[in-house]
Amino acid sequence: MAGVASKVAVIGSGISGAVCTSILAKSGVPVTVFESARGPGGRMSQRREYSEDGREVLFDHGAPYFTVNASNFEVQSLVSDWESRGIVAEWKEKFGSFDFSSKKFFGIDEEESNKRYVGVPGMNSISKALCHEPGVESRYGLSIGSLDWSEDGDAWSLKSLDGQDIGYFKGVVASDKNTFSPRFTNVTGKPPPIDLSSIPDMALKMKEIPAFPCFALMLAFEQPLSSIPVKGFLFKNSEVLSRAYCDSSKPGRSTSSERWVLHSTAEYAELIIAQTGFQKLSSDVLAKVAEELFQEFQNTGLDISQPFFKKAHRWGSAFPAASIAAEEKCMWIGRKRLAICGDFCVGPNVEGAICSGIAAAAKFVKVPITL
């Protein structure tokens, strides 16, 4: 297709990378998605676990749902398309808040201006569908170790974390913060794959992306927690828990058990990280965290039975606290055909990530590049 960039690598299969991938492929641009995890989704991934007696339990342990501003027609159009394809549905349940001080719920079922959407049958279903469209090659379980701009200034050379050559690409979309953020060093012991030192302004913006850590607690119960009058709520006046959602109440989920996901406060997560660092947590530490979060859940005074499955997961820096490119919606280095996108660019939510992915794709569709 004339006037369109050819052969683009998208690093990260979260919603921003997946949306960008889909738009590029539909515009005639060959795309390869690289994802270090075993499957797509990022913070919208779905966790598959097994109880001690072998039962499979699934959890959306990251973003529980998303909303779209009614005035955001571009994103709303995409979501409507996903809804017609059956990979998205509205989550029609009662929501509210719980005050630890009064031990009471309030604000139940207050009118919301925006619908709550979920992926079906899991939050990762959206990214999974977008990353498997015609014209897309997906490579999972592969971490990018380095990206180097070729000496002749015409392409990017990608290598895996263990130094193996992956190939050359006319353009790169980095939707995974670990690709350019120094936080990557804390996880792998190596510097981030993209060196932004030659672009001081951008490097400073990326270095200072504020992000909240969080622990997610996954719980599965034999019987419904009938003392809870809502399927999702925020905690007020708790130093440990921030929100809770009944995962099994979402459209398209198994109801063989009642499954809840609880998120910790950022302050609690920061306290644990201060004690343990960013290295992989031991099973003992995660078990301790799971017990502390569950104990706080029981401290509500609600009738909370013992779950047959209980496990904690750490999100180290997945929840951005601010945006760094609200107007542009993505970061763009035209001379090197590099786009950086994600919720940290537009807004710290799924809608912001989608907007950023759309913006990144538009940069390449407008760039006249030939092989």
Side-chain angles (χ1 to χ4, degrees):
M1 181 179 292
V4 175
S6 296
K7 200 176 183 185
V8 172
V10 176
I11 303 172
S13 66
I15 191 65
S16 62
V19 165
C20 180
T21 293
S22 175
I23 294 173
L24 288 176
K26 288 178 179 178
S27 300
V29 181
V31 188
T32 301
V33 181
F34 296 96
E35 172 58 57
S36 59
R38 291 174 293 179
R43 189 157 42 94
M44 292 175 70
S45 60
Q46 187 179 62
R47 186 75 171 248
R48 185 187 305 274
E49 296 285 351
Y50 293 91
S51 63
E52 289 184 358
D53 59 3
R55 280 181 282 179
E56 180 184 78
V57 282
L58 301 173
F59 299 92
D60 294 328
H61 62 317
Y65 65 86
F66 67 96
T67 61
V68 180
N69 192 299
S71 63
N72 196 338
F73 302 113
E74 196 169 26
V75 174
Q76 190 63 64
S77 176
L78 271 183
V79 175
S80 295
D81 175 62
W82 299 342
E83 205 169 4
S84 68
R85 294 166 58 182
I87 58 175
V88 159
E90 184 182 355
W91 189 12
K92 300 177 181 180
E93 290 288 353
K94 290 183 179 181
F95 288 73
S97 297
F98 180 86
D99 184 9
F100 258 90
S101 299
S102 64
K103 304 294 184 185
K104 292 181 179 179
F105 282 95
F106 65 95
I108 295 177
D109 209 23
E110 289 183 347
E111 191 67 27
E112 287 244 346
S113 58
N114 299 319
K115 297 178 180 179
R116 299 181 185 90
Y117 293 104
V118 297
V120 178
M123 289 298 285
N124 63 344
S125 299
I126 307 169
S127 291
K128 189 179 293 184
L130 299 181
C131 289
H132 288 84
E133 291 183 339
V136 179
E137 178 187 2
S138 299
R139 301 184 65 180
Y140 300 114
L142 197 159
S143 297
I144 301 299
S146 66
L147 295 95
D148 297 303
W149 187 242
S150 61
E151 293 182 3
D152 58 7
D154 190 49
W156 287 93
S157 171
L158 273 64
K159 291 186 178 181
S160 64
L161 201 58
D162 58 7
Q164 294 186 20
D165 289 322
I166 294 175
Y168 289 89
F169 295 84
K170 285 287 185 176
V172 169
V173 178
S175 67
D176 183 346
K177 290 192 294 294
N178 289 336
T179 309
F180 49 80
S181 171
R183 291 177 186 269
F184 189 74
T185 306
N186 294 324
V187 180
T188 66
K190 297 182 179 182
I194 297 178
D195 181 8
L196 295 176
S197 60
S198 61
I199 315 165
D201 290 347
M202 184 176 286
L204 183 61
K205 282 187 177 183
M206 296 302 171
K207 184 177 181 181
E208 295 183 349
I209 295 175
F212 291 133
C214 173
F215 278 95
L217 177 63
M218 298 166 281
L219 301 170
F221 299 89
E222 298 283 3
Q223 300 296 327
L225 301 183
S226 55
S227 65
I228 302 178
V230 293
K231 298 303 182 185
F233 60 98
L234 301 177
F235 290 97
K236 303 295 182 182
N237 298 312
S238 172
E239 296 180 356
V240 178
L241 292 176
S242 64
R243 56 186 182 177
Y245 297 97
C246 181
D247 214 42
S248 53
S249 71
K250 296 176 182 177
R253 271 60 171 184
S254 167
T255 55
S256 59
S257 63
E258 180 157 292
R259 298 176 303 284
W260 285 78
V261 175
L262 280 57
H263 283 181
S264 77
T265 61
E267 292 75 18
Y268 173 84
E270 287 168 350
L271 178 64
I272 299 299
I273 290 173
Q275 298 169 354
T276 62
F278 273 97
Q279 72 272 17
K280 184 177 180 179
L281 295 180
S282 68
S283 56
D284 287 343
V285 171
L286 285 174
K288 176 177 178 290
V289 168
E291 189 54 44
E292 289 178 350
L293 295 180
F294 182 67
Q295 183 61 54
E296 184 75 348
F297 196 27
Q298 288 189 313
N299 288 343
T300 57
L302 300 166
D303 184 13
I304 309 294
S305 59
Q306 283 295 322
F308 69 83
F309 179 85
K310 177 174 61 180
K311 189 172 184 178
H313 170 81
R314 181 186 68 188
W315 292 102
S317 57
F319 299 88
S323 58
I324 61 172
E327 293 297 323
E328 304 88 348
K329 298 182 181 177
C330 73
M331 306 294 287
W332 173 246
I333 307 173
R335 67 182 184 277
K336 291 188 176 181
R337 298 188 291 276
L338 169 66
I340 295 176
C341 65
D343 52 5
F344 52 87
C345 287
V346 182
N349 50 44
V350 174
E351 181 181 7
I354 295 172
C355 287
S356 191
I358 293 172
K363 296 295 185 182
F364 287 94
V365 172
K366 294 175 182 177
V367 175
I369 304 173
T370 57
L371 287 174

